[in-house]
Structures are given as structure tokens and as C-alpha cells.
């Protein structure tokens, strides 16, 4: 990816960051890069994720998927980092037509709807949980298994397991001799897109795993000690600097429908990695050009507390707009849909700059496997760098534990004081 | 809808609002309600939207849809307010199986993908634009028409037009004698879900239009001069009061997959209505339980600048979780998916309250046509009330015009100084 931070400079935007500030910040970037490099070299928890491009074995993943190669659909049972990386890849890239469903919620009606619509006799199951105990994932897996059994389909012949070294899912894989893959040690879920966690679904769709990993590896080569030389660090440092100056919101706005899920992936990466110790930008998922008719009014004229991050490909498949006899619309007939979309992007970017609202442009050559691998890796590196600058524990997410304990307690899975707190809710109800 | 603002009180959360403050604010609510009532009575632009439940004629909409009653699919060509209300309704409610596609973006690859996947010979077209000149909508409509012609399908036999009193789409409807409906005067796009704009797609799916409108009308009956008596005003006033105290982000987090599009609709309503004059909360679309594994870390432990708004139905279709031999997971087998989801919701709500992060609960009886009509109307009224309290022009969106002019200029549709600004972009590129 290439990054253009021109519209984040103090000469353009407020909040904005001056070149002199960026140069001072670059000394912190150099020090942070040193810590990141050492973390990678020593395989330290979290930093290890940045080693994935050289460690992930596409052949091993394809071998696990081979037994279900003739299936028409793949249902992935996983949530959060166990689903979003895989969904990002299969939603962005053109696969072989294999239908992909991600059961990343326990809404009963919705789960039932998916199970009724899937051709179970030609559907494979991809269950993903590092611990093997994630409540939503295990509940859904039990439901999916039963649905297959009820349909007379042997789930043990079509289930792939991706989990940690031990736990209930590992035991299950061993017991039924299921193809199984490892969630790599030292890699938090939100950083696992470039491991088996993200790539099983990609392999089932016959996506080019080598190209994804090569794109990531090429991005890794750009990691140097200066934000002025490394696109990923330029993005991470600029986001951090803008947040320091008041841009507490980071709206991720790709100008490509295929990258809509990527924006969700980014939102998890950014929120769980940096949202702690009272710090962290709030990621907002947006989509160009659609959200020009929804969010742009706020971004341009609301509080000056936002960074808008555009992601745009330089090339795309295009389609002409047919001409029209309506004089006022004749200009459309001389253009293509792609030219219209590109003009909308440039106009929106300039519209924010003209209003002094900071924004950053991330350019891809096109949306393909190589570029997407680079984008995911680049954003992970940007986030790790930002975490170093904030001084937070980038790779932990302790604040989600409270609700997990309360949930378990509420369902009778043990005594937890968190569950008692639920009953003590303060109410002020206004009813119809 | 019922609203519980207990977890937004200063005794629970920070930022939070004290009861004494709410009582003082209620005097402003009474005055604002007076202005809203007069605006409704006089049919003033914007306020007129709150009259829709009594003005919209379901029979007229069904009559327009009748000629395409045997179609298997409906493609709606519209963007922003011309798409989101309709999408919210058909995504939330169980229809007759008619496939619905919303072409609300001009991404060429994505448009082509939809057109190739649709059964054109049994697909109806629903084109929606008040002005009849919206660039994205007209470009897509030209593309769709051509695709039908190329497939040998007469689009004039299966196109429904919803537009203003005059303009290119009105002319087209007259010329080809197409069934046509009016975007009602005085109703901004983002407030038009309960008019033909939102209901054509609903009618094509055989949804219960009367129940939607009756639900909205019942909510209208609750509009009184006190936030302590009116759920919609309680929500609007509390959101405003929390924003005043630092909650500049409003995360809308329904605990129902069927309401995912509703959160998008809300984001447009809130952003375009209130995001002006340097004011306005940033709406964030979230989804329970999924985003507990993505955003909850930030909401609980990040900056105290967020209101989290939950929407949860009291009843839902349910599905048991099969039992498991794994001891650590046995508690799941005693529950249903719905009980798990409900426990996750209560746990998340309590988890935020325990961390002092303000949140509001909106309860629906269930997700059905009546309740959804009430929810949409209630949120519109909440937003109008909030706009009165902020003192902004709730029903305008002037900040989106700049980019529209620049886009047109860039495509050779006239001379606009905004287009010139695009070429003067400040660059600071960091490339691979």
C-alpha cells in the first residue's frame, strides 16, 4: 500500500500535524521500530503476528481443505478474530463460487435461516476457536452438528478444526480424526488473518494463498525505522498524532464494495488493540460512495474530532454508463461507473480538506490477493506501531472478560459476582 | 419502544446526567415539543415527516407494485435516504421470499455482479430519487435499463418510479406510463422510510404495511411535552445531554441480526440531521453479540466519550443448544441460543455500567412490523427533538453539496471551482 498523509498536515487541517512535529515523532517511531524488530526476532507474544508471512504454510492449509474440495459451501463457525480476517479475504477476492457463510453471532432466527438455506449435503464446516471454549462458537457448533445429523449428513466427514494446542476442539479433532490446523502461538485473534485462521476459508474458495502471503511479505520489507519511508508506520504514526490533537474518531472509508468487510476487520483491530487505559480512537466503518449520502455531512461540518481514512484502488474493472437524452445528465453518459466513483472519491477527499478536516489516503494498485495481503499486514503493523506510541498493551483485551464471566454466571455455568451485578441494574424506564 | 435511561444517570456513569439536570432539561423539552407540534400542524418542511403515519396510503403503494407482483426479485436503485429505510424494513421483517437488492453504490464490479446474478426476466426495478438527478442513482438506472434491454427484457413493463413532482424521473414515468409514486413534500430522504420511498420494497415483499404504519402511529401518540413520559424524547434528550457532557460517540448496538441495517439507517439519520455547526454525535454501527468480540474492549476501557445504545427484543424465535459431553461447556446445553444472546446482552450492559460507561436500553416487544414502525418513528422523533435542543437545522444537509459540485465538475458536467480544488491537493506520499 501507498499512503498519502498530505491532508493530515497542519497546513491543511485542524487538527493537523506539522512537518516539524512529524520529524520529532519519527524519533519515537525509530525507537518503537527497534522494539517491534526485537519482538519479532524473539517471537514475543503479539509481535509474532508480524512474522506470519514467512511462517504460514499454504500447502498445509490446502491439505486440510482437500477432503471437502467438492463442497459447494463452507460455513465458518467463529467470532471476532476467528471470523473477520477470513470474511475480509473471501468478500474482497473473486473465488471459485464456493458459498461462504460466517456464523459469528448466536441470534437463533438468523442461525436457523442460514442452516435452512445451506445445501448441507455439500457444505463443509470450518470451526475456529483458539481456546475451544468460546461460548458463541461452541454453542453454534453444537447447533450446526445437530442440523447436519438431522439431515442425515455425517459432519465428521466434512469438518475442519482450527484451534490451539489443547482444549475441547483439539480433543474433538483427535477423537474423530478431523483435519485440524493450529491457531499459531503468540498471535492474537485479530492479528491472525494471515494464518490458518484466515486462510482456511480462502483456500476453500481456491484463492491464491501464495499471493496473499507474498503481498504481506512485501509489506513487511517496508518496515524501517522512519515513518517517512514506511507506509504502515506513516499511517500508524499519523493516526496517533491526530488522536493526540483531538481526532478521537477514525472513519475507515474504502471506495470499493469488496472492501466493506475489510473496514469491519480494521474496526476490530483498532478498537481491541488500542482501546484501553482510557486511550484509543473509535473506529467507524464507512463505505464510499454510499456514505457520502449518510455520513459526509457530519464528517465535513460536525465536530473536528475525526480522521477519515480512504482506501482506494488505482485500477478496477469498469463499466460504461449508457448515454441519456436528458440534457442535465448528459455528462454521465460520457463517463464510466468507475470514473464516477473515482470522481466521487476525489471530490469527497477534497471536500474534507477544504473544510480543514484531516484525512489520509491509502492507495492499492487494485483489489487483488497480493494487494490485500499487503493491506492487512500494513494495517497490523500500523496498529502495532500506534500501540507502541500510545504505550498500551496492544495484544491484550482484558476488558472483555467481565462480560464473559457474567454471561457464564447468568447461564448457570458457575458462581461469578459479575452475574450478580446484572440484577442490580439502575432503572429509569419510560414506557409507552 | 420502551426506553431505560437508568445507566445514563450520573449515579451510574461518567459522563452521566443527574436527575436534577434531566428535570431542568425537561423544560427545554416542553418548549421543543411545542415547536415540533406546531411544525407538524403547519406541515412545515421536516416536521411534516412526523405526520407520515396518518398520510401514507398503503393501497396506493400496493397498486403501484401490483403489476410486478409475480416478480421473484426487486432491484431498488437509490442511495442514502432513498435506500436505507426500505432496506431496513425488508432486512428486518420476514417477507414472501422476494429477493431484494439495493444498488446504492456505483462500484462497477459490484453492480455487474448483481446484474449477472439477478433473474432479469422476473426482476422488477424500483428507482427512487426525489430530484431525479442524483448522479449515482441515475447512472445506475441507465446501467440497469441497458442490462435489461441486452437481456431482451422490457424494463418499461416492470419499473416503478418514486420521485418528486417534476424532474427527469417524473418525465420518464409520464413518457412510458410507468407506475409512479411521490416522494412526499416536506419529508427529507432520511425521514422517508414510512412513505412510498421506504414502503415500495416492503410492499413488493408482501410485508404488512398497515402494521408498520400503525406501529408508527402508536409511537406518535406518545409524543408529549415531557421526556419522562415519552420514550422517543427520553432517548433524544438523554443522547443530547450525554453529548454535552462528553459522549460525542453514539454506538447503536442492536442484539438482533435482523436489525443490522436499522443501525445503518440510524447512523444516517443521526449524522445528517445533527452533524452540523461543529455539533453532533458520531454514530457508530455495532451488533450484539458479535461486536463484543470486536468493539467492547474499547467501549469499556477506552475514552469515556461514548453512549452505547442497545436495542433488544423481549421475545424472539428460539432454538435449543444441544447438550455436550464436554464438562466445561455443559452449561450451554441447558440453554437456548436466545437465552445465550439475552445473557450476553445483559452482561454487556452491566459490564459497561460497572465501568461507568453510559448506556441506554431500547426494548421492543419483538422484531415485527408493528414494533419496527414504532422504532423508526420513535428514533425520528428523538432525532428531531435532539435537533431542537442543539439548535441546528435538523432537516438540511448543506455540507454534502460541495462534493456533489466537485464530482460534476470533474466529469465535465460544468464549471465548478470545487473541481479545481481537487487538483491542488497537498501531497505527502510514503510509497513502497
Amino acid at each position: 500500500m501507498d499512503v498519502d498523509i498530505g491532508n493530515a498536515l497542519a497546513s491543511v487541517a485542524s487538527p493537523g500535524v506539522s512537518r516539524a512535529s512529524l520529524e520529532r515523532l519519527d524519533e519515537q517511531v525509530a525507537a518503537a521500530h527497534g522494539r517491534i524488530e526485537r519482538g519479532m526476532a524473539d517471537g514475543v507474544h503479539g509481535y509474532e503476528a508480524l512474522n506470519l508471512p514467512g511462517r504460514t504454510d499454504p500447502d498445509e492449509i490446502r491439505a486440510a481443505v482437500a477432503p471437502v474440495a467438492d463442497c459447494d459451501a463452507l460455513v465458518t463457525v467463529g467470532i471476532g478474530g476467528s471470523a473477520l480476517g477470513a470474511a475480509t479475504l473471501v468478500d474482497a477476492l473473486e473465488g471459485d463460487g464456493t458459498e461462504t457463510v460466517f456464523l459469528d453471532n448466536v441470534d437463533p432466527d438468523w442461525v436457523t435461516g442460514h442452516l435452512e438455506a445451506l445445501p448441507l449435503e455439500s457444505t463443509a464446516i470450518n470451526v475456529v476457536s483458539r481456546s475451544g471454549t468460546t461460548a458463541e462458537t461452541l454453542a453454534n457448533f453444537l447447533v450446526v452438528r445437530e442440523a447436519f445429523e438431522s439431515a442425515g449428513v455425517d459432519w465428521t466427514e466434512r469438518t475442519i478444526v482450527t484451534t490451539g494446542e489443547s482444549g475441547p476442539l483439539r480433543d474433538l479433532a483427535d477423537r474423530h480424526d478431523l483435519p485440524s490446523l493450529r491457531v499459531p502461538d503468540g498471535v492474537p485473534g485479530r492479528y491472525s488473518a494471515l494464518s490458518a485462521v484466515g486462510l482456511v476459508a480462502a483456500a476453500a474458495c481456491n484463492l491464491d494463498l501464495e499471493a496473499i502471503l507474498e503481498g504481506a511479505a512485501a509489506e513487511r520489507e517496508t518496515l524501517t525505522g522512519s515513518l517517512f519511508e514506511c507506509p504502515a508506520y506513516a499511517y500508524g504514526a499519523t493516526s496517533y498524532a491526530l488522536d493526540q490533537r483531538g481526532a478521537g474518531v477514525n472513519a475507515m472509508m474504502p471506495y470499493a464494495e469488496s472492501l466493506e468487510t475489510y473496514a469491519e476487520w480494521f474496526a476490530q483491530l483498532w478498537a481491541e488493540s488500542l482501546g484501553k487505559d482510557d486511550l484509543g480512537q473509535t473506529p467507524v466503518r464507512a463505505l464510499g460512495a454510499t456514505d457520502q449520502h449518510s455520513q459526509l455531512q457530519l464528517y465535513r461540518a460536525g465536530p473536528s474530532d475525526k480522521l477519515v481514512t480512504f482506501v482506494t484502488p488505482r485500477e478496477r474493472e469498469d463499466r460504461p454508463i449508457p448515454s441519456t437524452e436528458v440534457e442535465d445528465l448528459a455528462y454521465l453518459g460520457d463517463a464510466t461507473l468507475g470514473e464516477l466513483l473515482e470522481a466521487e472519491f476525489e471530490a469527497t477527499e477534497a471536500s474534507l480538506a477544504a473544510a480543514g478536516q484531516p484525512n489520509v489516503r491509502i492507495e492499492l494498485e487494485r483489489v487483488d490477493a497480493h494487494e490485500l495481503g499487503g493491506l492487512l499486514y500494513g494495517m497490523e503493523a500500523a496498529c502495532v506501531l500506534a500501540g507502541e506510541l500510545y504505550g498500551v498493551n496492544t495484544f491484550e483485551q482484558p476488558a472483555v472478560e467481565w462480560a464473559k464471566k457474567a454471561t457464564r454466571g447468568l447461564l448457570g455455568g458457575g458462581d461469578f459476582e459479575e452475574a450478580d451485578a446484572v440484577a442490580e441494574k439502575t432503572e429509569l424506564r419510560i414506557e409507552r
Side-chain angles (χ1 to χ4, degrees), chain A residues 58-72 74 96 124-125 157-160 178-181 199-206 209:
Chain A
D59 290 327
E60 187 190 19
I61 294 166
R62 276 190 294 262
V65 171
V68 298
D70 58 344
C71 281
D72 298 323
L74 178 80
D96 64 358
I125 304 169
E157 285 183 355
R158 50 188 70 227
T159 296
I160 305 156
L178 307 178
S180 71
L181 294 157
L199 295 176
V200 165
C205 295
N206 256 313
L209 307 192

Side-chain angles (χ1 to χ4, degrees), chain A residues 141-158:
Chain A
F141 183 51
L142 291 167
V143 166
V144 167
R145 268 167 45 167
E146 189 184 61
F148 274 71
E149 284 164 5
S150 298
V153 181
D154 185 355
W155 62 268
T156 67
E157 285 183 355
R158 50 188 70 227

